[in-house]
Amino acid sequence: METKKRTIVLGISCFYHDSAAALLVDGRIVAAAQEERFTRIKHDDNFPERAVDFCLQSQGFAIDDVSYVVFYDKPILKFERIIQTYIKVWPRGLRSFLLAMRIWLKEKLWIEQTISRKLKYEGEILFTEHHYSHAASAYYASDVNDAVVVTIDGVGEWDTTTIGFAEGNKLTLTHSIHFPHSLGLLYSAVTYYLGFKVNSAEYKVMGLAPYGDPKKYYSAFQKLIDIQEDGSYSLNMDYFAYEHELSMTNKKFNELFGGPARESESELTQRHKDISAALQKIIEEAVLQIVRQAKKLYPSKNLCLAGGVALNCVANGEILRQNWFENIYVQPASGDAGGAIGAACYVYFDVLKNHKEDGVMPNAFLGPDYGNGEIKNFLEEEIIKNMKLPLRYEFVGDDKIFSYVARLLANDNVVGYFQGRMEFGPRALGARSIIADARKKENWQRVNLKIKFRESFRPFAPTVLEEYADEYFDLRGKISPYMLLVARVKKNDIPAVRHVDGSARIQTVNRSQNQRYYDLVHEFYTLTKCPVVINTSFNVRGEPIVCTPRDAFNSFLNTDMDYLVMQNYVISKKANPDMDKFKNTDRYLKEFKND
Amino acid sequence: MNEFKKIFKIAYQYWMKFAYFIGEINFKIIFSALFFVLIGIYAIIKKIFNLTVEEQSGRWVKKKYTEPEIETLRRQF
């Protein structure tokens, strides 16, 4: 009997930041991963060879089985934008021009050849538009059949913001705002000014904002950006340098904000906090106007959001509070990594005209997983035999593991929780997470300073059982499985996840999405009557989220985490006093660059 | 024989370093010239005739609809 040939589409995003690969098989995303998780270089932008290998090998495919490889943007259009920009700013921009030409001529203009050569692929290579990739990553991953689609990011080819609609297997972007006017670049410019790493630490600025007074610098931001009633906006380029310099902002920008850019790692003053707060306020206003305009143009009850700015969960929370939509779907990997998913989806549905069904991407657990056998082998061979660490560990069966770990949490332990397939996207959702008791306020500082080694102002996100979400948070009946909505905390008994402005970035969890995480939080609830735990990514500052048992063990060894739970294996620091001899936190932290 | 190989290998390494150095200088000279001449000519013409690009005004631009077909996706533009 002849079997139907499967349609296998490999999406790739790379060469800017957050390189990634995603594999779509017959309309389902079956695997996706960011290159950084394998190379251990945060936001790695190199060609995602290892991520591609993982996607294919985990599903038992070879590169020859792939029907199409799709790159997530159109390089020549992007190159045209760069040349046009140098024409516009000439005679300024020589240094930036030389740097850009070196990269473009060496690498970015040869993407088709790079894909063929690195993957040894002889089939069809396709190119989607950057914002179509973002839009498709949100719409096709959602379980709605029509939607208003909004994408906002730094810049694609020319577009920085787009509005469109989608129905069935047809996605159309109809309106866009062009470079250099960009909410993403405005956010990045201020991130740069505040001494954080661009394209990396924007979320820190978002976390800093609640400590500041938005009124103090609001008028300054009004000079930077002009937001129109119809949601369009323009930046006053007199204050920005990114069109022609290697820096984001210029002297005039410094004068407007009362001083030079903050040195990285120097003290954060109230002025910096006030600037963050004003930026957040103006971004929220702009995003709301854009979404309002989109709703006016295409009155659907569903909204799909993507692009780097869609990771601004505070702005997403504002959209939620407007009650304009019944369903809001934000792609969990809204940044460029998610473009790999979108590029594959766009080809499969829009181009190949396949019918859109629910469940294209039912969750974000698309990365590698490691079974009990592999974990035991790692502990025995790598740790006990090779490293010569006399490790004591225990195996706890599925019937007891969740109540066991829940008791550890209730007894004030911080646990590294390594379970099943790794998440795709920037958030840890219970597969590669550090978890702790949300009722103890001191856990905020403890996890920040002794385990994550990061700035003390950074807040922690709560995971809440979906059925108790509305009791604890002002989510208005919505769910937030990907930690992409911020809402007010209603109860006072979870101080460790309540930010200074009374808000929290919420993850709701149900059993069908993540059984092993849901069961743990549920056991914690049974024990304590609190359905909320702290959930933060399993990594230290500057480190990509852990991927393998080795990464998890290294992180556990070199931090003050109390327990490591990898599938059913439990390792305790107290039971292993010898671990201290192998600990070298300083050396470990030096492996990763601060962001 | 091995001694010769070793000497040639060292010479090759130094030659490559030198070639890289010369390449860097060439690159900077050629591309600086391109910047000031080619880009410059376009820029001056644009400035003289005031050819500003309306799409870069920060207002909504209507996106041109392109039928999603394999042929259009084969293109990198």
Side-chain angles (χ1 to χ4, degrees), chain A residues 502-538:
Chain A
S503 71
R505 190 183 69 196
I506 302 142
Q507 180 201 3
T508 56
V509 64
N510 68 37
R511 200 161 193 267
S512 66
Q513 274 165 349
N514 188 347
Q515 180 252 316
R516 294 184 78 82
Y517 191 40
Y518 176 89
D519 285 353
L520 167 63
V521 184
H522 197 269
E523 283 294 340
F524 183 75
Y525 170 69
T526 307
L527 197 66
T528 64
K529 296 294 163 224
C530 175
V532 182
V533 296
I534 291 176
N535 175 11
T536 184
S537 52
F538 197 155

Side-chain angles (χ1 to χ4, degrees), chain A residues 343-360:
Chain A
C345 286
Y346 185 75
V347 166
Y348 185 81
F349 294 108
D350 278 86
V351 179
L352 301 176
K353 316 279 183 220
N354 286 297
H355 184 65
K356 179 184 186 291
E357 288 171 11
D358 289 354
V360 172

